[in-house]
């Protein structure tokens, strides 16, 4: 995919649609049809709020399904995410991304192909990380071959030093892994996040990721993946090429709350100062 032409801006802001628990998840309503209706309604409503607030793209993920499957999710999860993503696509023409937690890139890519989405987010694309699901390993070799078999132009946005995880490699390897993710894993964009959902990325760590990209002579975009606020977005976009934002766009700054279009507009206005 062509990054800038996909988002029609050099520094896109991508808003999150955090799905409530899908049928079969521990915290979902006992009535599976009720759970699916609630997820679809929330997804559509959040998509409208994000669009009206002025974001440049949307990412949908099964955030409410904790505790997450470490890699392959069962078919009912794929079906649920597909239905919700279809609802989002019906509400907006914004570029759409899919993330199937914790790390089912095959499912995300399949959903993206089915609904005409533009990219997927893959938490562990190359290497391995220690997570609350255990050791999660990247499967870049499978993901990219599946994309070729499906014949779809779907970008792979891959995390480096992904949140809610720790490295298996020696300290100081994080920045070097950018080359593995982008050059050997062929990711279309790389995401740098803070330690957890809604937590700010360390600016030195972000700078080291961008410096490593330059050292390797790469032009792969770097996105900030967590903790972006109206107060920080301008400074972060001075370094990074875009941002994925969730918590700061929700009512009351609560990750699981609905999207607040006014908070979206505030973030976009702050970002436009440097875009």
């Amino acid at each position: 995919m062509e990054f800038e032409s996909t988002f029609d801006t050099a520094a896109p802001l991508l808003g999150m649609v955090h799905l409530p628990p899908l049928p079969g998840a521990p915290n979902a309503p006992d009535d599976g049809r009720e759970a699916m209706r609630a997820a679809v309604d929330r997804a559509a409503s959040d998509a409208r709020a994000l669009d009206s607030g002025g974001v440049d793209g949307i990412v949908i993920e099964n955030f409410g399904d904790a505790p997450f499957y470490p890699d392959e999710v069962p078919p009912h999860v794929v079906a649920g995410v597909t239905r919700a993503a279809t609802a989002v696509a019906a509400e907006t023409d914004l570029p759409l991304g899919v993330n199937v937690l914790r790390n089912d890139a095959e499912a995300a890519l399949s959903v993206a192909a089915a609904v005409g989405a533009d990219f997927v987010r893959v938490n562990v694309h190359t290497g391995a990380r220690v997570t609350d699901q255990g050791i999660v390993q990247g499967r870049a070799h499978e993901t990219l071959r599946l994309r070729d078999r499906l014949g779809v132009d779907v970008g792979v946005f891959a995390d480096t030093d992904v949140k809610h995880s720790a490295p298996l490699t020696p300290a100081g390897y994080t920045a070097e892994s950018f080359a593995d993710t982008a050059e050997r894993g062929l990711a279309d964009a790389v995401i740098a996040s803070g330690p957890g959902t809604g937590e700010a990325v360390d600016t030195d760590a972000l700078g080291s990721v961008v410096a490593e990209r330059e050292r390797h002579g790469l032009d792969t975009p770097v996105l900030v993946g967590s903790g972006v606020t109206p107060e920080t977005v301008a400074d972060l976009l001075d370094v990074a090429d875009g941002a994925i934002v969730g918590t700061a766009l929700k009512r009351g700054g609560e990750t699981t709350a609905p999207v607040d279009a006014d908070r979206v507009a505030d973030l976009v206005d702050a970002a436009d100062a440097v875009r």
Side-chain angles (χ1 to χ4, degrees), residues 230-244:
E231 293 73 30
T232 64
V233 65
D235 288 340
L236 290 170
L237 292 182
D238 271 342
V239 181
D241 304 296
I244 302 172

Side-chain angles (χ1 to χ4, degrees), residues 14 25 52 62 89 92 122 131 135 162 170 188 263:
L14 313 182
S52 66
N62 57 324
T92 176
V122 183
T131 74
I135 296 175
V162 68
D188 298 287
R263 293 176 72 101

